[in-house]
Amino acid sequence: MTAIDLNADLGEGFGRWRLTDDERLLSVVTSANVACGFHAGDAATMRRVCEQAAARGVTIGAQVSYRDLAGFGRRAMDVPPAELAAEVAYQIGALEVFARAAGSRVAYVKPHGALYNRVVHDEEQAAAVVDGVLLADGSLPVLGLPGSRLLARAAEAGLPPVPEAFADRAYTDEGTLVPRDRDGAVVTDPEAVVARSVDLARSGSVAASSGARIAVRARSLCLHGDTPGAVELARRVRRRLEETGVRVEAFA
């Protein structure tokens, strides 16, 4: 039976501001990418999400990013490799405290936003992220785009590379994500998102923005928590996957 993990970006708030419906999304997903304070999140939020995830048996992952609270981690930044490696390790370590206190652990790492897209092609930044993961824990899987430099460097370093797909993001013919500032970058039709989820899980392929069919073989499927109606959409995706014979389970 085909198996797929469902992950969502959670804990994306700061202080009194909350972006994602963490508690309800944790009833659907199998892995939680928890913001570690650099693009969103704070100590109280991290603790709360870890406790909720642990109570529901949801795997906890560290969503690391550039230090960019004002830009939600989506602005391009040039961070020296040694500094980036230290900041990645710092974020993982901070989340690990709360995961352990909740009776769980940080089980994988996923970059966020501009950093996620940068390490698809940037060898130096990809190596820095991997160095940061190794500094924190030399066994953590790394979640990223199939064919990215990040996953290649992770594999070379002995870290398990986990390819990820996005049902609600448009793809280029090269298998990369269409930048968010371009028209059509985000797929907003719920039926299309559900259909693409099944396609990605069962056939390992999806229609690019050009209409061409491209291979996107992934072990995990990301459901964005900041999408309007995210919880109900996530439920529809999971229900349809299970109805079509796909086993939904965490990869870590």
Side-chain angles (χ1 to χ4, degrees), residues 8-31:
D9 303 343
L10 302 178
E12 291 186 325
F14 191 80
R16 296 178 63 185
W17 172 66
R18 292 190 185 185
L19 178 64
T20 51
D21 191 341
D22 300 324
E23 189 167 8
R24 293 172 68 204
L25 280 167
L26 283 166
S27 69
V28 182
V29 300
T30 47
S31 294

Side-chain angles (χ1 to χ4, degrees), residues 81-100:
E83 183 178 338
L84 180 57
E87 292 189 338
V88 166
Y90 179 92
Q91 292 174 78
I92 297 168
L95 187 64
E96 178 70 5
V97 169
F98 299 116
R100 291 282 183 183

Side-chain angles (χ1 to χ4, degrees), residues 192-207 213 216 221 241 244 246:
V193 173
V194 172
R196 287 163 66 88
S197 299
V198 174
D199 231 9
L200 286 162
R202 292 185 60 82
S203 70
S205 65
V206 73
R213 199 80 186 167
V216 182
L221 183 65
L241 287 169
T244 56
V246 177

Side-chain angles (χ1 to χ4, degrees), residues 1-5 201 218-219 246-249:
M1 180 184 289
T2 300
I4 196 79
D5 169 64
R219 178 63 183 87
V246 177
R247 187 173 66 251
V248 179
E249 64 180 17

Side-chain angles (χ1 to χ4, degrees), residues 43-69:
T45 302
M46 293 160 67
R47 181 180 184 181
R48 172 176 52 81
V49 175
C50 283
E51 288 174 347
Q52 292 174 345
R56 289 163 176 76
V58 175
T59 298
I60 297 171
Q63 187 165 42
V64 299
S65 72
Y66 289 127
R67 188 188 293 270
D68 181 27
L69 272 176

Side-chain angles (χ1 to χ4, degrees), residues 13 15 40 97 127 162 175 218 235-236:
V97 169
V162 183
R235 286 175 176 158
R236 290 178 61 183

Side-chain angles (χ1 to χ4, degrees), residues 83-141:
E83 183 178 338
L84 180 57
E87 292 189 338
V88 166
Y90 179 92
Q91 292 174 78
I92 297 168
L95 187 64
E96 178 70 5
V97 169
F98 299 116
R100 291 282 183 183
S104 185
R105 64 185 180 89
V106 172
Y108 67 93
V109 177
K110 174 185 173 178
H112 165 82
L115 181 58
Y116 187 97
N117 291 317
R118 181 77 172 266
V119 295
V120 172
H121 299 297
D122 191 313
E123 186 76 38
E124 186 176 68
Q125 295 280 281
V129 171
V130 169
D131 286 346
V133 177
L134 290 171
L135 185 60
D137 185 330
S139 64
L140 288 176

